[in-house]
PDB file of all heavy atoms in Angstrom:
ATOM      1  N   LYS K 910      12.064  -6.712   0.972  1.00  0.00           N
ATOM      2  CA  LYS K 910      12.961  -7.827   1.243  1.00  0.00           C
ATOM      3  C   LYS K 910      12.779  -8.233   2.697  1.00  0.00           C
ATOM      4  O   LYS K 910      12.275  -7.462   3.517  1.00  0.00           O
ATOM      5  CB  LYS K 910      14.412  -7.435   0.980  1.00  0.00           C
ATOM      6  CG  LYS K 910      14.924  -6.315   1.852  1.00  0.00           C
ATOM      7  CD  LYS K 910      16.372  -5.997   1.515  1.00  0.00           C
ATOM      8  CE  LYS K 910      16.896  -4.842   2.368  1.00  0.00           C
ATOM      9  NZ  LYS K 910      18.306  -4.524   2.070  1.00  0.00           N
ATOM     10  N   GLU K 911      13.168  -9.462   3.025  1.00  0.00           N
ATOM     11  CA  GLU K 911      13.020  -9.961   4.383  1.00  0.00           C
ATOM     12  C   GLU K 911      14.341  -9.814   5.129  1.00  0.00           C
ATOM     13  O   GLU K 911      15.405 -10.147   4.612  1.00  0.00           O
ATOM     14  CB  GLU K 911      12.571 -11.420   4.372  1.00  0.00           C
ATOM     15  CG  GLU K 911      11.154 -11.593   3.842  1.00  0.00           C
ATOM     16  CD  GLU K 911      10.640 -13.012   4.013  1.00  0.00           C
ATOM     17  OE1 GLU K 911      11.463 -13.899   4.321  1.00  0.00           O
ATOM     18  OE2 GLU K 911       9.432 -13.230   3.859  1.00  0.00           O
ATOM     19  N   ILE K 912      14.265  -9.285   6.352  1.00  0.00           N
ATOM     20  CA  ILE K 912      15.451  -9.092   7.169  1.00  0.00           C
ATOM     21  C   ILE K 912      15.193  -9.617   8.575  1.00  0.00           C
ATOM     22  O   ILE K 912      14.051  -9.699   9.019  1.00  0.00           O
ATOM     23  CB  ILE K 912      15.864  -7.610   7.254  1.00  0.00           C
ATOM     24  CG1 ILE K 912      14.720  -6.773   7.858  1.00  0.00           C
ATOM     25  CG2 ILE K 912      16.248  -7.075   5.890  1.00  0.00           C
ATOM     26  CD1 ILE K 912      15.099  -5.352   8.164  1.00  0.00           C
ATOM     27  N   LYS K 913      16.255  -9.962   9.283  1.00  0.00           N
ATOM     28  CA  LYS K 913      16.122 -10.380  10.679  1.00  0.00           C
ATOM     29  C   LYS K 913      15.864  -9.157  11.554  1.00  0.00           C
ATOM     30  O   LYS K 913      16.451  -8.101  11.342  1.00  0.00           O
ATOM     31  CB  LYS K 913      17.401 -11.071  11.149  1.00  0.00           C
ATOM     32  CG  LYS K 913      17.516 -12.531  10.779  1.00  0.00           C
ATOM     33  CD  LYS K 913      18.722 -13.142  11.454  1.00  0.00           C
ATOM     34  CE  LYS K 913      18.794 -14.648  11.160  1.00  0.00           C
ATOM     35  NZ  LYS K 913      19.964 -15.257  11.837  1.00  0.00           N
ATOM     36  N   PRO K 914      14.996  -9.291  12.569  1.00  0.00           N
ATOM     37  CA  PRO K 914      14.841  -8.193  13.526  1.00  0.00           C
ATOM     38  C   PRO K 914      16.159  -7.942  14.253  1.00  0.00           C
ATOM     39  O   PRO K 914      16.960  -8.858  14.438  1.00  0.00           O
ATOM     40  CB  PRO K 914      13.771  -8.707  14.497  1.00  0.00           C
ATOM     41  CG  PRO K 914      13.119  -9.856  13.800  1.00  0.00           C
ATOM     42  CD  PRO K 914      14.140 -10.442  12.885  1.00  0.00           C
ATOM     43  N   LYS K 915      16.379  -6.711  14.659  1.00  0.00           N
ATOM     44  CA  LYS K 915      17.583  -6.360  15.410  1.00  0.00           C
ATOM     45  C   LYS K 915      17.231  -6.140  16.880  1.00  0.00           C
ATOM     46  O   LYS K 915      16.076  -5.940  17.232  1.00  0.00           O
ATOM     47  CB  LYS K 915      18.228  -5.114  14.812  1.00  0.00           C
ATOM     48  CG  LYS K 915      18.768  -5.324  13.390  1.00  0.00           C
ATOM     49  CD  LYS K 915      19.415  -4.069  12.857  1.00  0.00           C
ATOM     50  CE  LYS K 915      20.092  -4.333  11.512  1.00  0.00           C
ATOM     51  NZ  LYS K 915      19.183  -4.805  10.484  1.00  0.00           N
ATOM     52  N   ASP K 916      18.257  -6.182  17.729  1.00  0.00           N
ATOM     53  CA  ASP K 916      18.016  -6.064  19.170  1.00  0.00           C
ATOM     54  C   ASP K 916      17.999  -4.612  19.640  1.00  0.00           C
ATOM     55  O   ASP K 916      18.087  -4.348  20.842  1.00  0.00           O
ATOM     56  CB  ASP K 916      19.058  -6.864  19.957  1.00  0.00           C
ATOM     57  CG  ASP K 916      20.483  -6.385  19.719  1.00  0.00           C
ATOM     58  OD1 ASP K 916      20.674  -5.397  18.991  1.00  0.00           O
ATOM     59  OD2 ASP K 916      21.422  -7.013  20.267  1.00  0.00           O
ATOM     60  N   PHE K 917      17.869  -3.670  18.723  1.00  0.00           N
ATOM     61  CA  PHE K 917      17.849  -2.248  19.048  1.00  0.00           C
ATOM     62  C   PHE K 917      16.615  -1.635  18.404  1.00  0.00           C
ATOM     63  O   PHE K 917      16.456  -1.692  17.177  1.00  0.00           O
ATOM     64  CB  PHE K 917      19.130  -1.587  18.517  1.00  0.00           C
ATOM     65  CG  PHE K 917      19.331  -0.173  18.988  1.00  0.00           C
ATOM     66  CD1 PHE K 917      19.891   0.087  20.223  1.00  0.00           C
ATOM     67  CD2 PHE K 917      18.963   0.906  18.193  1.00  0.00           C
ATOM     68  CE1 PHE K 917      20.091   1.391  20.658  1.00  0.00           C
ATOM     69  CE2 PHE K 917      19.151   2.199  18.614  1.00  0.00           C
ATOM     70  CZ  PHE K 917      19.722   2.444  19.854  1.00  0.00           C
ATOM     71  N   ILE K 918      15.730  -1.079  19.215  1.00  0.00           N
ATOM     72  CA  ILE K 918      14.456  -0.553  18.723  1.00  0.00           C
ATOM     73  C   ILE K 918      14.429   0.955  18.943  1.00  0.00           C
ATOM     74  O   ILE K 918      14.496   1.423  20.081  1.00  0.00           O
ATOM     75  CB  ILE K 918      13.270  -1.217  19.454  1.00  0.00           C
ATOM     76  CG1 ILE K 918      13.324  -2.737  19.268  1.00  0.00           C
ATOM     77  CG2 ILE K 918      11.940  -0.655  18.948  1.00  0.00           C
ATOM     78  CD1 ILE K 918      12.309  -3.489  20.125  1.00  0.00           C
ATOM     79  N   SER K 919      14.317   1.712  17.869  1.00  0.00           N
ATOM     80  CA  SER K 919      14.377   3.171  17.989  1.00  0.00           C
ATOM     81  C   SER K 919      13.330   3.886  17.139  1.00  0.00           C
ATOM     82  O   SER K 919      13.378   5.098  16.996  1.00  0.00           O
ATOM     83  CB  SER K 919      15.775   3.673  17.599  1.00  0.00           C
ATOM     84  OG  SER K 919      16.093   3.313  16.263  1.00  0.00           O
ATOM     85  N   PHE K 920      12.379   3.124  16.574  1.00  0.00           N
ATOM     86  CA  PHE K 920      11.432   3.742  15.646  1.00  0.00           C
ATOM     87  C   PHE K 920      10.203   4.335  16.334  1.00  0.00           C
ATOM     88  O   PHE K 920       9.386   4.991  15.698  1.00  0.00           O
ATOM     89  CB  PHE K 920      10.980   2.732  14.582  1.00  0.00           C
ATOM     90  CG  PHE K 920      10.201   1.561  15.127  1.00  0.00           C
ATOM     91  CD1 PHE K 920       8.831   1.658  15.361  1.00  0.00           C
ATOM     92  CD2 PHE K 920      10.844   0.372  15.412  1.00  0.00           C
ATOM     93  CE1 PHE K 920       8.115   0.590  15.867  1.00  0.00           C
ATOM     94  CE2 PHE K 920      10.136  -0.707  15.919  1.00  0.00           C
ATOM     95  CZ  PHE K 920       8.763  -0.592  16.147  1.00  0.00           C
ATOM     96  N   THR K 921      10.061   4.094  17.633  1.00  0.00           N
ATOM     97  CA  THR K 921       8.886   4.612  18.343  1.00  0.00           C
ATOM     98  C   THR K 921       9.272   4.931  19.778  1.00  0.00           C
ATOM     99  O   THR K 921      10.234   4.373  20.314  1.00  0.00           O
ATOM    100  CB  THR K 921       7.732   3.596  18.313  1.00  0.00           C
ATOM    101  OG1 THR K 921       6.555   4.211  18.836  1.00  0.00           O
ATOM    102  CG2 THR K 921       8.061   2.332  19.105  1.00  0.00           C
ATOM    103  N   THR K 922       8.519   5.834  20.414  1.00  0.00           N
ATOM    104  CA  THR K 922       8.889   6.325  21.734  1.00  0.00           C
ATOM    105  C   THR K 922       7.661   6.413  22.642  1.00  0.00           C
ATOM    106  O   THR K 922       6.523   6.264  22.197  1.00  0.00           O
ATOM    107  CB  THR K 922       9.513   7.728  21.632  1.00  0.00           C
ATOM    108  OG1 THR K 922       8.519   8.650  21.151  1.00  0.00           O
ATOM    109  CG2 THR K 922      10.708   7.727  20.685  1.00  0.00           C
ATOM    110  N   ASN K 923       7.926   6.728  23.912  1.00  0.00           N
ATOM    111  CA  ASN K 923       6.835   6.950  24.861  1.00  0.00           C
ATOM    112  C   ASN K 923       5.961   8.130  24.453  1.00  0.00           C
ATOM    113  O   ASN K 923       4.746   8.126  24.675  1.00  0.00           O
ATOM    114  CB  ASN K 923       7.394   7.218  26.258  1.00  0.00           C
ATOM    115  CG  ASN K 923       7.444   5.965  27.110  1.00  0.00           C
ATOM    116  OD1 ASN K 923       8.400   5.745  27.820  1.00  0.00           O
ATOM    117  ND2 ASN K 923       6.419   5.118  27.039  1.00  0.00           N
ATOM    118  N   SER K 924       6.572   9.151  23.858  1.00  0.00           N
ATOM    119  CA  SER K 924       5.800  10.329  23.474  1.00  0.00           C
ATOM    120  C   SER K 924       4.764   9.974  22.410  1.00  0.00           C
ATOM    121  O   SER K 924       3.650  10.513  22.402  1.00  0.00           O
ATOM    122  CB  SER K 924       6.720  11.440  22.962  1.00  0.00           C
ATOM    123  OG  SER K 924       7.462  11.023  21.834  1.00  0.00           O
ATOM    124  N   PHE K 925       5.107   9.033  21.520  1.00  0.00           N
ATOM    125  CA  PHE K 925       4.137   8.571  20.527  1.00  0.00           C
ATOM    126  C   PHE K 925       2.942   7.932  21.224  1.00  0.00           C
ATOM    127  O   PHE K 925       1.785   8.156  20.854  1.00  0.00           O
ATOM    128  CB  PHE K 925       4.791   7.567  19.574  1.00  0.00           C
ATOM    129  CG  PHE K 925       3.841   6.952  18.585  1.00  0.00           C
ATOM    130  CD1 PHE K 925       3.596   7.555  17.360  1.00  0.00           C
ATOM    131  CD2 PHE K 925       3.172   5.763  18.878  1.00  0.00           C
ATOM    132  CE1 PHE K 925       2.712   6.995  16.456  1.00  0.00           C
ATOM    133  CE2 PHE K 925       2.285   5.196  17.975  1.00  0.00           C
ATOM    134  CZ  PHE K 925       2.056   5.819  16.757  1.00  0.00           C
ATOM    135  N   ALA K 926       3.240   7.129  22.257  1.00  0.00           N
ATOM    136  CA  ALA K 926       2.165   6.452  22.987  1.00  0.00           C
ATOM    137  C   ALA K 926       1.271   7.456  23.700  1.00  0.00           C
ATOM    138  O   ALA K 926       0.042   7.296  23.742  1.00  0.00           O
ATOM    139  CB  ALA K 926       2.765   5.475  23.996  1.00  0.00           C
ATOM    140  N   THR K 927       1.872   8.504  24.269  1.00  0.00           N
ATOM    141  CA  THR K 927       1.085   9.521  24.965  1.00  0.00           C
ATOM    142  C   THR K 927       0.180  10.273  24.001  1.00  0.00           C
ATOM    143  O   THR K 927      -0.993  10.527  24.293  1.00  0.00           O
ATOM    144  CB  THR K 927       2.026  10.510  25.683  1.00  0.00           C
ATOM    145  OG1 THR K 927       2.827   9.789  26.624  1.00  0.00           O
ATOM    146  CG2 THR K 927       1.237  11.577  26.415  1.00  0.00           C
ATOM    147  N   ILE K 928       0.708  10.623  22.827  1.00  0.00           N
ATOM    148  CA  ILE K 928      -0.102  11.302  21.807  1.00  0.00           C
ATOM    149  C   ILE K 928      -1.275  10.418  21.388  1.00  0.00           C
ATOM    150  O   ILE K 928      -2.414  10.873  21.255  1.00  0.00           O
ATOM    151  CB  ILE K 928       0.774  11.660  20.586  1.00  0.00           C
ATOM    152  CG1 ILE K 928       1.784  12.746  20.972  1.00  0.00           C
ATOM    153  CG2 ILE K 928      -0.093  12.120  19.412  1.00  0.00           C
ATOM    154  CD1 ILE K 928       2.847  12.991  19.916  1.00  0.00           C
ATOM    155  N   GLU K 929      -0.990   9.136  21.204  1.00  0.00           N
ATOM    156  CA  GLU K 929      -2.019   8.176  20.794  1.00  0.00           C
ATOM    157  C   GLU K 929      -3.121   8.097  21.847  1.00  0.00           C
ATOM    158  O   GLU K 929      -4.320   8.124  21.520  1.00  0.00           O
ATOM    159  CB  GLU K 929      -1.370   6.806  20.588  1.00  0.00           C
ATOM    160  CG  GLU K 929      -2.297   5.724  20.090  1.00  0.00           C
ATOM    161  CD  GLU K 929      -1.555   4.423  19.839  1.00  0.00           C
ATOM    162  OE1 GLU K 929      -0.744   4.012  20.715  1.00  0.00           O
ATOM    163  OE2 GLU K 929      -1.761   3.814  18.780  1.00  0.00           O
ATOM    164  N   LEU K 930      -2.739   8.030  23.101  1.00  0.00           N
ATOM    165  CA  LEU K 930      -3.721   7.920  24.173  1.00  0.00           C
ATOM    166  C   LEU K 930      -4.549   9.198  24.314  1.00  0.00           C
ATOM    167  O   LEU K 930      -5.753   9.150  24.580  1.00  0.00           O
ATOM    168  CB  LEU K 930      -3.006   7.600  25.491  1.00  0.00           C
ATOM    169  CG  LEU K 930      -3.788   6.771  26.527  1.00  0.00           C
ATOM    170  CD1 LEU K 930      -4.293   5.472  25.907  1.00  0.00           C
ATOM    171  CD2 LEU K 930      -2.913   6.476  27.740  1.00  0.00           C
ATOM    172  N   LYS K 931      -3.903  10.341  24.095  1.00  0.00           N
ATOM    173  CA  LYS K 931      -4.636  11.613  24.154  1.00  0.00           C
ATOM    174  C   LYS K 931      -5.674  11.703  23.037  1.00  0.00           C
ATOM    175  O   LYS K 931      -6.754  12.260  23.218  1.00  0.00           O
ATOM    176  CB  LYS K 931      -3.663  12.786  24.061  1.00  0.00           C
ATOM    177  CG  LYS K 931      -2.893  13.054  25.352  1.00  0.00           C
ATOM    178  CD  LYS K 931      -1.988  14.278  25.205  1.00  0.00           C
ATOM    179  CE  LYS K 931      -1.285  14.603  26.511  1.00  0.00           C
ATOM    180  NZ  LYS K 931      -0.388  15.784  26.384  1.00  0.00           N
ATOM    181  N   GLU K 932      -5.365  11.156  21.865  1.00  0.00           N
ATOM    182  CA  GLU K 932      -6.334  11.149  20.767  1.00  0.00           C
ATOM    183  C   GLU K 932      -7.532  10.270  21.110  1.00  0.00           C
ATOM    184  O   GLU K 932      -8.672  10.584  20.758  1.00  0.00           O
ATOM    185  CB  GLU K 932      -5.668  10.649  19.491  1.00  0.00           C
ATOM    186  CG  GLU K 932      -4.652  11.620  18.895  1.00  0.00           C
ATOM    187  CD  GLU K 932      -3.977  11.055  17.661  1.00  0.00           C
ATOM    188  OE1 GLU K 932      -4.099   9.835  17.415  1.00  0.00           O
ATOM    189  OE2 GLU K 932      -3.319  11.826  16.940  1.00  0.00           O
ATOM    190  N   ILE K 933      -7.281   9.175  21.806  1.00  0.00           N
ATOM    191  CA  ILE K 933      -8.364   8.263  22.175  1.00  0.00           C
ATOM    192  C   ILE K 933      -9.228   8.854  23.282  1.00  0.00           C
ATOM    193  O   ILE K 933     -10.448   8.674  23.309  1.00  0.00           O
ATOM    194  CB  ILE K 933      -7.787   6.895  22.593  1.00  0.00           C
ATOM    195  CG1 ILE K 933      -7.088   6.222  21.408  1.00  0.00           C
ATOM    196  CG2 ILE K 933      -8.882   5.977  23.146  1.00  0.00           C
ATOM    197  CD1 ILE K 933      -6.314   4.967  21.772  1.00  0.00           C
ATOM    198  N   PHE K 934      -8.587   9.602  24.209  1.00  0.00           N
ATOM    199  CA  PHE K 934      -9.311  10.149  25.360  1.00  0.00           C
ATOM    200  C   PHE K 934      -9.451  11.678  25.287  1.00  0.00           C
ATOM    201  O   PHE K 934      -9.488  12.352  26.313  1.00  0.00           O
ATOM    202  CB  PHE K 934      -8.611   9.735  26.660  1.00  0.00           C
ATOM    203  CG  PHE K 934      -8.811   8.300  27.018  1.00  0.00           C
ATOM    204  CD1 PHE K 934      -7.913   7.334  26.593  1.00  0.00           C
ATOM    205  CD2 PHE K 934      -9.912   7.894  27.756  1.00  0.00           C
ATOM    206  CE1 PHE K 934      -8.095   5.994  26.914  1.00  0.00           C
ATOM    207  CE2 PHE K 934     -10.108   6.562  28.085  1.00  0.00           C
ATOM    208  CZ  PHE K 934      -9.197   5.600  27.662  1.00  0.00           C
ATOM    209  N   ASN K 935      -9.490  12.203  24.059  1.00  0.00           N
ATOM    210  CA  ASN K 935      -9.805  13.630  23.828  1.00  0.00           C
ATOM    211  C   ASN K 935      -8.920  14.590  24.619  1.00  0.00           C
ATOM    212  O   ASN K 935      -9.386  15.397  25.420  1.00  0.00           O
ATOM    213  CB  ASN K 935     -11.279  13.917  24.135  1.00  0.00           C
ATOM    214  CG  ASN K 935     -12.217  13.295  23.116  1.00  0.00           C
ATOM    215  OD1 ASN K 935     -11.764  12.930  22.034  1.00  0.00           O
ATOM    216  ND2 ASN K 935     -13.473  13.157  23.449  1.00  0.00           N
ATOM    217  N   GLY K 936      -7.619  14.475  24.376  1.00  0.00           N
ATOM    218  CA  GLY K 936      -6.685  15.430  24.941  1.00  0.00           C
ATOM    219  C   GLY K 936      -6.176  15.093  26.315  1.00  0.00           C
ATOM    220  O   GLY K 936      -5.316  15.800  26.859  1.00  0.00           O
ATOM    221  N   ILE K 937      -6.670  14.028  26.912  1.00  0.00           N
ATOM    222  CA  ILE K 937      -6.238  13.620  28.251  1.00  0.00           C
ATOM    223  C   ILE K 937      -5.465  12.310  28.143  1.00  0.00           C
ATOM    224  O   ILE K 937      -5.873  11.388  27.429  1.00  0.00           O
ATOM    225  CB  ILE K 937      -7.445  13.423  29.189  1.00  0.00           C
ATOM    226  CG1 ILE K 937      -8.238  14.719  29.315  1.00  0.00           C
ATOM    227  CG2 ILE K 937      -7.002  12.930  30.554  1.00  0.00           C
ATOM    228  CD1 ILE K 937      -9.543  14.551  30.055  1.00  0.00           C
ATOM    229  N   SER K 938      -4.335  12.217  28.838  1.00  0.00           N
ATOM    230  CA  SER K 938      -3.607  10.953  28.919  1.00  0.00           C
ATOM    231  C   SER K 938      -3.817  10.371  30.307  1.00  0.00           C
ATOM    232  O   SER K 938      -3.155  10.771  31.268  1.00  0.00           O
ATOM    233  CB  SER K 938      -2.109  11.154  28.648  1.00  0.00           C
ATOM    234  OG  SER K 938      -1.423   9.921  28.710  1.00  0.00           O
ATOM    235  N   PRO K 939      -4.765   9.429  30.457  1.00  0.00           N
ATOM    236  CA  PRO K 939      -5.143   8.946  31.794  1.00  0.00           C
ATOM    237  C   PRO K 939      -4.198   7.900  32.366  1.00  0.00           C
ATOM    238  O   PRO K 939      -4.499   7.310  33.402  1.00  0.00           O
ATOM    239  CB  PRO K 939      -6.524   8.348  31.534  1.00  0.00           C
ATOM    240  CG  PRO K 939      -6.447   7.847  30.132  1.00  0.00           C
ATOM    241  CD  PRO K 939      -5.556   8.802  29.396  1.00  0.00           C
ATOM    242  N   PHE K 940      -3.068   7.647  31.692  1.00  0.00           N
ATOM    243  CA  PHE K 940      -2.159   6.593  32.137  1.00  0.00           C
ATOM    244  C   PHE K 940      -0.734   7.066  31.910  1.00  0.00           C
ATOM    245  O   PHE K 940      -0.395   7.533  30.824  1.00  0.00           O
ATOM    246  CB  PHE K 940      -2.436   5.302  31.354  1.00  0.00           C
ATOM    247  CG  PHE K 940      -1.712   4.097  31.875  1.00  0.00           C
ATOM    248  CD1 PHE K 940      -2.218   3.369  32.940  1.00  0.00           C
ATOM    249  CD2 PHE K 940      -0.515   3.682  31.294  1.00  0.00           C
ATOM    250  CE1 PHE K 940      -1.551   2.252  33.421  1.00  0.00           C
ATOM    251  CE2 PHE K 940       0.152   2.566  31.770  1.00  0.00           C
ATOM    252  CZ  PHE K 940      -0.366   1.855  32.839  1.00  0.00           C
ATOM    253  N   SER K 941       0.124   6.950  32.920  1.00  0.00           N
ATOM    254  CA  SER K 941       1.496   7.435  32.791  1.00  0.00           C
ATOM    255  C   SER K 941       2.378   6.396  32.102  1.00  0.00           C
ATOM    256  O   SER K 941       2.270   5.204  32.354  1.00  0.00           O
ATOM    257  CB  SER K 941       2.076   7.761  34.175  1.00  0.00           C
ATOM    258  OG  SER K 941       2.142   6.601  34.973  1.00  0.00           O
ATOM    259  N   LYS K 942       3.230   6.873  31.211  1.00  0.00           N
ATOM    260  CA  LYS K 942       4.206   6.050  30.487  1.00  0.00           C
ATOM    261  C   LYS K 942       3.574   4.833  29.802  1.00  0.00           C
ATOM    262  O   LYS K 942       3.999   3.684  30.017  1.00  0.00           O
ATOM    263  CB  LYS K 942       5.337   5.615  31.416  1.00  0.00           C
ATOM    264  CG  LYS K 942       6.150   6.779  31.967  1.00  0.00           C
ATOM    265  CD  LYS K 942       7.291   6.299  32.841  1.00  0.00           C
ATOM    266  CE  LYS K 942       8.090   7.480  33.382  1.00  0.00           C
ATOM    267  NZ  LYS K 942       9.205   7.053  34.271  1.00  0.00           N
TER     268      LYS K 942
END
């Protein structure tokens, strides 16, 4: 079903981004936050 976006976002975090970057750069996160 179609819904309006809400002004509160909680489905993803900085830690997800760090894990993603480590996978791309083989265990190293070369960029903070």
